[in-house]
Amino acid sequence: MRIDILSAVPKLLEGPFSHSILQRAISKGIASVHVHDLRDFTLDKHKRIDDYAFGGGAGMVMTIEPIERCIEHLKSERDYDEVIYMSPDGELFNQKIANQMSVEYKNIIILCGHYKGIDERIREHLITREISIGDYVLTGGELAAAVVADSIIRLIPDVLNNETSALTDSFQDDLIAPPVYTRPADYKGWKVPDVLRSGDEAKIDAWRHEMSLKRTEERRPNLLRDSD
Ligand code: ADE
């Protein structure tokens, strides 16, 4: 899978893909992430990529030209499944969408907004899907794009090993994951549940499932109601 991220602040995206599991997936060639600086695509001699809003009001608006030029440049090199705009008023992202994207998409473009937003005509003519990572407003779409890219990439086969398998994630089956423990079995009197040390796999599986249900009921009952 190839993800192209268009940004006004590309430095914000240097960290998330340079470490740990994502970095390994990228160096193994399972996924690739390309961050593009929108200033490289402006024809403005001052490299401006925003302008005042028609009609007045506070806040600058990102202009069409650098975004359109960057998208067209990428599209001239390969086909894209989707051009996604990260926006607080987009479709609310969740594990189901991450799964769908991970399975169905080969190449995607993610546009990060900044300032007061992007010229509406970009949304009308160039964007095919709008995604929000939650009902709060970030200073820009970069952190949101990193969240979406991370959650999609980790689902690609061979990115996670057996121990970290995505199959046991919270939300993967509309349940919250059960609690986990490691050594020591007793830390100053804080004990690991006996069943996990029993060696009885069937019993352990049953306990984990029961804990998942209990946690989901207590913390996120909406997952049980909305699961169909
Ligand atoms: N840009 C700013 N806030 C955002 C959010 N909540 N989700 C996605 N993109 C955003």
Side-chain angles (χ1 to χ4, degrees), residues 1-6 32-34 36 74 78-84 101-102 104-111 128 145 148-149 152-153:
M1 177 174 220
R2 175 184 169 116
I3 303 176
D4 288 274
I5 306 180
L6 283 46
S32 67
V33 177
H34 305 263
H36 306 276
L74 291 169
R78 67 196 64 76
D79 289 334
Y80 283 90
D81 299 295
E82 208 88 86
V83 182
I84 297 166
M101 289 183 171
S102 182
E104 293 176 18
Y105 294 169
K106 197 165 165 296
N107 301 318
I108 56 172
I109 292 173
I110 303 181
L111 171 64
T128 59
V148 168
I152 301 173
I153 292 171

mmCIF file of all heavy atoms in Angstrom, residues 1-6 32-34 36 74 78-84 101-102 104-111 128 145 148-149 152-153:
data_model
loop_
_atom_site.group_PDB
_atom_site.id
_atom_site.type_symbol
_atom_site.label_atom_id
_atom_site.label_comp_id
_atom_site.label_asym_id
_atom_site.label_seq_id
_atom_site.Cartn_x
_atom_site.Cartn_y
_atom_site.Cartn_z
ATOM 1 N N MET A 1 0.827 -1.194 0.000
ATOM 2 C CA MET A 1 0.000 0.000 0.000
ATOM 3 C C MET A 1 0.868 1.253 0.000
ATOM 4 O O MET A 1 1.902 1.291 0.650
ATOM 5 C CB MET A 1 -0.890 0.005 1.240
ATOM 6 C CG MET A 1 -1.744 1.245 1.356
ATOM 7 S SD MET A 1 -2.865 1.071 2.734
ATOM 8 C CE MET A 1 -4.319 1.784 2.075
ATOM 9 N N ARG A 2 0.409 2.253 -0.777
ATOM 10 C CA ARG A 2 1.154 3.507 -0.845
ATOM 11 C C ARG A 2 0.254 4.643 -0.357
ATOM 12 O O ARG A 2 -0.884 4.771 -0.803
ATOM 13 C CB ARG A 2 1.575 3.749 -2.296
ATOM 14 C CG ARG A 2 2.260 5.093 -2.486
ATOM 15 C CD ARG A 2 2.599 5.370 -3.931
ATOM 16 N NE ARG A 2 3.004 6.762 -4.031
ATOM 17 C CZ ARG A 2 4.208 7.186 -4.382
ATOM 18 N NH1 ARG A 2 5.135 6.333 -4.730
ATOM 19 N NH2 ARG A 2 4.488 8.482 -4.409
ATOM 20 N N ILE A 3 0.778 5.435 0.580
ATOM 21 C CA ILE A 3 0.017 6.569 1.103
ATOM 22 C C ILE A 3 0.796 7.845 0.824
ATOM 23 O O ILE A 3 1.960 7.968 1.237
ATOM 24 C CB ILE A 3 -0.232 6.417 2.627
ATOM 25 C CG1 ILE A 3 -0.949 5.095 2.920
ATOM 26 C CG2 ILE A 3 -1.037 7.594 3.158
ATOM 27 C CD1 ILE A 3 -1.163 4.808 4.408
ATOM 28 N N ASP A 4 0.182 8.771 0.109
ATOM 29 C CA ASP A 4 0.790 10.075 -0.147
ATOM 30 C C ASP A 4 0.080 11.105 0.719
ATOM 31 O O ASP A 4 -1.144 11.243 0.627
ATOM 32 C CB ASP A 4 0.654 10.458 -1.617
ATOM 33 C CG ASP A 4 1.575 9.619 -2.498
ATOM 34 O OD1 ASP A 4 2.747 10.015 -2.654
ATOM 35 O OD2 ASP A 4 1.126 8.567 -3.000
ATOM 36 N N ILE A 5 0.835 11.792 1.564
ATOM 37 C CA ILE A 5 0.220 12.776 2.458
ATOM 38 C C ILE A 5 0.646 14.179 2.034
ATOM 39 O O ILE A 5 1.839 14.462 1.886
ATOM 40 C CB ILE A 5 0.620 12.520 3.934
ATOM 41 C CG1 ILE A 5 0.297 11.067 4.333
ATOM 42 C CG2 ILE A 5 -0.088 13.499 4.849
ATOM 43 C CD1 ILE A 5 0.657 10.720 5.775
ATOM 44 N N LEU A 6 -0.331 15.052 1.813
ATOM 45 C CA LEU A 6 -0.070 16.426 1.378
ATOM 46 C C LEU A 6 -0.216 17.343 2.583
ATOM 47 O O LEU A 6 -1.262 17.336 3.250
ATOM 48 C CB LEU A 6 -1.088 16.848 0.308
ATOM 49 C CG LEU A 6 -0.904 16.321 -1.113
ATOM 50 C CD1 LEU A 6 -0.608 14.847 -1.178
ATOM 51 C CD2 LEU A 6 -2.093 16.688 -1.976
ATOM 52 N N SER A 32 4.314 2.121 1.912
ATOM 53 C CA SER A 32 5.192 3.281 1.749
ATOM 54 C C SER A 32 4.389 4.544 2.016
ATOM 55 O O SER A 32 3.202 4.626 1.683
ATOM 56 C CB SER A 32 5.847 3.305 0.367
ATOM 57 O OG SER A 32 4.882 3.528 -0.616
ATOM 58 N N VAL A 33 5.042 5.484 2.697
ATOM 59 C CA VAL A 33 4.394 6.754 3.039
ATOM 60 C C VAL A 33 5.251 7.876 2.468
ATOM 61 O O VAL A 33 6.459 7.925 2.719
ATOM 62 C CB VAL A 33 4.259 6.915 4.573
ATOM 63 C CG1 VAL A 33 3.648 8.270 4.918
ATOM 64 C CG2 VAL A 33 3.420 5.786 5.166
ATOM 65 N N HIS A 34 4.632 8.729 1.662
ATOM 66 C CA HIS A 34 5.361 9.830 1.016
ATOM 67 C C HIS A 34 4.709 11.135 1.451
ATOM 68 O O HIS A 34 3.515 11.332 1.204
ATOM 69 C CB HIS A 34 5.306 9.686 -0.498
ATOM 70 C CG HIS A 34 5.807 8.351 -0.970
ATOM 71 N ND1 HIS A 34 7.085 8.149 -1.420
ATOM 72 C CD2 HIS A 34 5.193 7.146 -1.006
ATOM 73 C CE1 HIS A 34 7.233 6.860 -1.733
ATOM 74 N NE2 HIS A 34 6.104 6.234 -1.485
ATOM 75 N N HIS A 36 4.389 15.124 1.137
ATOM 76 C CA HIS A 36 4.660 16.183 0.155
ATOM 77 C C HIS A 36 4.401 17.549 0.778
ATOM 78 O O HIS A 36 3.351 17.766 1.395
ATOM 79 C CB HIS A 36 3.763 16.007 -1.070
ATOM 80 C CG HIS A 36 3.876 14.639 -1.680
ATOM 81 N ND1 HIS A 36 4.869 14.303 -2.580
ATOM 82 C CD2 HIS A 36 3.156 13.509 -1.474
ATOM 83 C CE1 HIS A 36 4.726 13.027 -2.918
ATOM 84 N NE2 HIS A 36 3.694 12.525 -2.259
ATOM 85 N N LEU A 74 0.618 13.637 -8.744
ATOM 86 C CA LEU A 74 0.592 12.251 -8.247
ATOM 87 C C LEU A 74 -0.267 11.365 -9.144
ATOM 88 O O LEU A 74 0.116 10.240 -9.486
ATOM 89 C CB LEU A 74 0.071 12.217 -6.806
ATOM 90 C CG LEU A 74 1.009 12.843 -5.760
ATOM 91 C CD1 LEU A 74 0.301 12.995 -4.422
ATOM 92 C CD2 LEU A 74 2.264 11.997 -5.603
ATOM 93 N N ARG A 78 0.279 7.423 -11.129
ATOM 94 C CA ARG A 78 -0.415 6.164 -10.793
ATOM 95 C C ARG A 78 -1.878 6.470 -10.514
ATOM 96 O O ARG A 78 -2.240 7.627 -10.325
ATOM 97 C CB ARG A 78 0.225 5.470 -9.581
ATOM 98 C CG ARG A 78 0.070 6.201 -8.278
ATOM 99 C CD ARG A 78 1.014 5.708 -7.218
ATOM 100 N NE ARG A 78 2.407 5.946 -7.583
ATOM 101 C CZ ARG A 78 2.990 7.144 -7.510
ATOM 102 N NH1 ARG A 78 2.321 8.204 -7.100
ATOM 103 N NH2 ARG A 78 4.244 7.311 -7.863
ATOM 104 N N ASP A 79 -2.689 5.414 -10.466
ATOM 105 C CA ASP A 79 -4.105 5.599 -10.111
ATOM 106 C C ASP A 79 -4.246 5.592 -8.594
ATOM 107 O O ASP A 79 -3.517 4.870 -7.900
ATOM 108 C CB ASP A 79 -4.942 4.450 -10.690
ATOM 109 C CG ASP A 79 -5.037 4.561 -12.201
ATOM 110 O OD1 ASP A 79 -4.919 5.695 -12.713
ATOM 111 O OD2 ASP A 79 -5.195 3.512 -12.859
ATOM 112 N N TYR A 80 -5.175 6.367 -8.108
ATOM 113 C CA TYR A 80 -5.454 6.390 -6.668
ATOM 114 C C TYR A 80 -6.873 5.910 -6.394
ATOM 115 O O TYR A 80 -7.799 6.215 -7.152
ATOM 116 C CB TYR A 80 -5.254 7.807 -6.112
ATOM 117 C CG TYR A 80 -3.781 8.119 -5.938
ATOM 118 C CD1 TYR A 80 -3.058 8.693 -6.973
ATOM 119 C CD2 TYR A 80 -3.112 7.785 -4.768
ATOM 120 C CE1 TYR A 80 -1.694 8.939 -6.840
ATOM 121 C CE2 TYR A 80 -1.754 8.030 -4.622
ATOM 122 C CZ TYR A 80 -1.051 8.603 -5.652
ATOM 123 O OH TYR A 80 0.288 8.835 -5.514
ATOM 124 N N ASP A 81 -7.024 5.153 -5.304
ATOM 125 C CA ASP A 81 -8.347 4.663 -4.923
ATOM 126 C C ASP A 81 -9.187 5.755 -4.286
ATOM 127 O O ASP A 81 -10.414 5.722 -4.354
ATOM 128 C CB ASP A 81 -8.206 3.503 -3.913
ATOM 129 C CG ASP A 81 -7.458 2.347 -4.520
ATOM 130 O OD1 ASP A 81 -7.984 1.762 -5.477
ATOM 131 O OD2 ASP A 81 -6.335 2.042 -4.061
ATOM 132 N N GLU A 82 -8.515 6.684 -3.628
ATOM 133 C CA GLU A 82 -9.264 7.697 -2.882
ATOM 134 C C GLU A 82 -8.369 8.905 -2.641
ATOM 135 O O GLU A 82 -7.155 8.765 -2.478
ATOM 136 C CB GLU A 82 -9.670 7.096 -1.530
ATOM 137 C CG GLU A 82 -10.917 7.650 -0.924
ATOM 138 C CD GLU A 82 -12.206 6.939 -1.362
ATOM 139 O OE1 GLU A 82 -12.581 5.933 -0.758
ATOM 140 O OE2 GLU A 82 -12.838 7.426 -2.317
ATOM 141 N N VAL A 83 -9.005 10.086 -2.654
ATOM 142 C CA VAL A 83 -8.314 11.311 -2.219
ATOM 143 C C VAL A 83 -9.049 11.774 -0.961
ATOM 144 O O VAL A 83 -10.181 12.261 -1.027
ATOM 145 C CB VAL A 83 -8.322 12.409 -3.301
ATOM 146 C CG1 VAL A 83 -7.550 13.633 -2.809
ATOM 147 C CG2 VAL A 83 -7.724 11.890 -4.609
ATOM 148 N N ILE A 84 -8.402 11.563 0.172
ATOM 149 C CA ILE A 84 -9.059 11.773 1.466
ATOM 150 C C ILE A 84 -8.662 13.132 2.036
ATOM 151 O O ILE A 84 -7.488 13.522 1.995
ATOM 152 C CB ILE A 84 -8.637 10.651 2.446
ATOM 153 C CG1 ILE A 84 -9.128 9.300 1.915
ATOM 154 C CG2 ILE A 84 -9.173 10.917 3.843
ATOM 155 C CD1 ILE A 84 -8.486 8.097 2.624
ATOM 156 N N MET A 101 -10.354 0.140 4.485
ATOM 157 C CA MET A 101 -9.300 0.827 3.725
ATOM 158 C C MET A 101 -8.089 -0.081 3.529
ATOM 159 O O MET A 101 -7.486 -0.118 2.461
ATOM 160 C CB MET A 101 -8.873 2.107 4.448
ATOM 161 C CG MET A 101 -9.917 3.199 4.408
ATOM 162 S SD MET A 101 -9.306 4.687 5.212
ATOM 163 C CE MET A 101 -10.594 5.851 4.770
ATOM 164 N N SER A 102 -7.758 -0.793 4.595
ATOM 165 C CA SER A 102 -6.581 -1.643 4.540
ATOM 166 C C SER A 102 -6.741 -2.752 3.498
ATOM 167 O O SER A 102 -5.797 -3.115 2.793
ATOM 168 C CB SER A 102 -6.343 -2.235 5.928
ATOM 169 O OG SER A 102 -5.210 -3.011 5.927
ATOM 170 N N GLU A 104 -9.135 -2.756 0.860
ATOM 171 C CA GLU A 104 -9.572 -2.347 -0.487
ATOM 172 C C GLU A 104 -8.649 -1.359 -1.194
ATOM 173 O O GLU A 104 -8.696 -1.245 -2.408
ATOM 174 C CB GLU A 104 -10.976 -1.735 -0.410
ATOM 175 C CG GLU A 104 -12.033 -2.744 -0.016
ATOM 176 C CD GLU A 104 -13.403 -2.108 0.149
ATOM 177 O OE1 GLU A 104 -13.622 -0.990 -0.351
ATOM 178 O OE2 GLU A 104 -14.244 -2.739 0.810
ATOM 179 N N TYR A 105 -7.855 -0.625 -0.428
ATOM 180 C CA TYR A 105 -7.080 0.434 -1.071
ATOM 181 C C TYR A 105 -5.637 0.018 -1.330
ATOM 182 O O TYR A 105 -4.996 -0.597 -0.486
ATOM 183 C CB TYR A 105 -7.066 1.705 -0.208
ATOM 184 C CG TYR A 105 -8.404 2.382 -0.039
ATOM 185 C CD1 TYR A 105 -8.569 3.395 0.905
ATOM 186 C CD2 TYR A 105 -9.507 2.027 -0.811
ATOM 187 C CE1 TYR A 105 -9.789 4.032 1.076
ATOM 188 C CE2 TYR A 105 -10.730 2.661 -0.640
ATOM 189 C CZ TYR A 105 -10.867 3.657 0.300
ATOM 190 O OH TYR A 105 -12.064 4.280 0.467
ATOM 191 N N LYS A 106 -5.151 0.420 -2.490
ATOM 192 C CA LYS A 106 -3.753 0.176 -2.829
ATOM 193 C C LYS A 106 -2.972 1.492 -2.744
ATOM 194 O O LYS A 106 -1.899 1.556 -2.170
ATOM 195 C CB LYS A 106 -3.679 -0.411 -4.245
ATOM 196 C CG LYS A 106 -2.379 -1.067 -4.570
ATOM 197 C CD LYS A 106 -2.541 -1.922 -5.835
ATOM 198 C CE LYS A 106 -1.182 -2.281 -6.393
ATOM 199 N NZ LYS A 106 -0.404 -1.126 -6.843
ATOM 200 N N ASN A 107 -3.531 2.539 -3.344
ATOM 201 C CA ASN A 107 -2.896 3.864 -3.302
ATOM 202 C C ASN A 107 -3.900 4.899 -2.817
ATOM 203 O O ASN A 107 -4.991 4.988 -3.373
ATOM 204 C CB ASN A 107 -2.439 4.294 -4.701
ATOM 205 C CG ASN A 107 -1.457 3.317 -5.306
ATOM 206 O OD1 ASN A 107 -0.553 2.823 -4.635
ATOM 207 N ND2 ASN A 107 -1.642 3.009 -6.579
ATOM 208 N N ILE A 108 -3.505 5.662 -1.805
ATOM 209 C CA ILE A 108 -4.396 6.752 -1.382
ATOM 210 C C ILE A 108 -3.614 8.046 -1.184
ATOM 211 O O ILE A 108 -2.421 8.036 -0.872
ATOM 212 C CB ILE A 108 -5.184 6.437 -0.082
ATOM 213 C CG1 ILE A 108 -4.249 6.068 1.074
ATOM 214 C CG2 ILE A 108 -6.210 5.365 -0.313
ATOM 215 C CD1 ILE A 108 -4.983 5.950 2.412
ATOM 216 N N ILE A 109 -4.333 9.141 -1.390
ATOM 217 C CA ILE A 109 -3.798 10.468 -1.093
ATOM 218 C C ILE A 109 -4.546 10.973 0.134
ATOM 219 O O ILE A 109 -5.771 10.823 0.218
ATOM 220 C CB ILE A 109 -4.034 11.425 -2.289
ATOM 221 C CG1 ILE A 109 -3.176 11.000 -3.483
ATOM 222 C CG2 ILE A 109 -3.732 12.870 -1.887
ATOM 223 C CD1 ILE A 109 -3.467 11.778 -4.769
ATOM 224 N N ILE A 110 -3.809 11.540 1.083
ATOM 225 C CA ILE A 110 -4.459 12.165 2.241
ATOM 226 C C ILE A 110 -4.051 13.635 2.286
ATOM 227 O O ILE A 110 -2.860 13.956 2.359
ATOM 228 C CB ILE A 110 -4.061 11.481 3.572
ATOM 229 C CG1 ILE A 110 -4.379 9.985 3.538
ATOM 230 C CG2 ILE A 110 -4.777 12.156 4.733
ATOM 231 C CD1 ILE A 110 -4.040 9.240 4.842
ATOM 232 N N LEU A 111 -5.030 14.510 2.243
ATOM 233 C CA LEU A 111 -4.772 15.949 2.310
ATOM 234 C C LEU A 111 -5.017 16.441 3.730
ATOM 235 O O LEU A 111 -6.078 16.182 4.312
ATOM 236 C CB LEU A 111 -5.698 16.682 1.325
ATOM 237 C CG LEU A 111 -5.713 18.206 1.427
ATOM 238 C CD1 LEU A 111 -4.343 18.807 1.080
ATOM 239 C CD2 LEU A 111 -6.802 18.792 0.520
ATOM 240 N N THR A 128 -12.463 12.776 -2.553
ATOM 241 C CA THR A 128 -13.472 11.718 -2.733
ATOM 242 C C THR A 128 -14.003 11.199 -1.401
ATOM 243 O O THR A 128 -15.004 10.495 -1.362
ATOM 244 C CB THR A 128 -12.891 10.525 -3.533
ATOM 245 O OG1 THR A 128 -11.758 9.999 -2.807
ATOM 246 C CG2 THR A 128 -12.442 10.953 -4.916
ATOM 247 N N ALA A 145 -3.993 12.511 10.105
ATOM 248 C CA ALA A 145 -3.546 11.671 8.982
ATOM 249 C C ALA A 145 -2.621 10.562 9.494
ATOM 250 O O ALA A 145 -2.685 9.418 9.024
ATOM 251 C CB ALA A 145 -2.824 12.524 7.941
ATOM 252 N N VAL A 148 -4.748 7.832 11.047
ATOM 253 C CA VAL A 148 -5.410 7.003 10.027
ATOM 254 C C VAL A 148 -4.393 6.087 9.347
ATOM 255 O O VAL A 148 -4.617 4.880 9.209
ATOM 256 C CB VAL A 148 -6.141 7.905 8.997
ATOM 257 C CG1 VAL A 148 -6.575 7.105 7.775
ATOM 258 C CG2 VAL A 148 -7.344 8.571 9.654
ATOM 259 N N ALA A 149 -3.245 6.652 8.959
ATOM 260 C CA ALA A 149 -2.224 5.841 8.273
ATOM 261 C C ALA A 149 -1.740 4.714 9.181
ATOM 262 O O ALA A 149 -1.605 3.562 8.751
ATOM 263 C CB ALA A 149 -1.062 6.721 7.828
ATOM 264 N N ILE A 152 -4.311 1.912 9.488
ATOM 265 C CA ILE A 152 -4.475 1.110 8.260
ATOM 266 C C ILE A 152 -3.253 0.210 8.047
ATOM 267 O O ILE A 152 -3.383 -0.973 7.749
ATOM 268 C CB ILE A 152 -4.606 2.013 7.009
ATOM 269 C CG1 ILE A 152 -5.798 2.946 7.122
ATOM 270 C CG2 ILE A 152 -4.731 1.179 5.749
ATOM 271 C CD1 ILE A 152 -5.844 3.971 5.988
ATOM 272 N N ILE A 153 -2.075 0.790 8.200
ATOM 273 C CA ILE A 153 -0.843 0.041 7.881
ATOM 274 C C ILE A 153 -0.693 -1.173 8.796
ATOM 275 O O ILE A 153 -0.326 -2.261 8.355
ATOM 276 C CB ILE A 153 0.402 0.961 7.964
ATOM 277 C CG1 ILE A 153 0.358 2.005 6.846
ATOM 278 C CG2 ILE A 153 1.696 0.145 7.875
ATOM 279 C CD1 ILE A 153 1.417 3.098 6.962
#
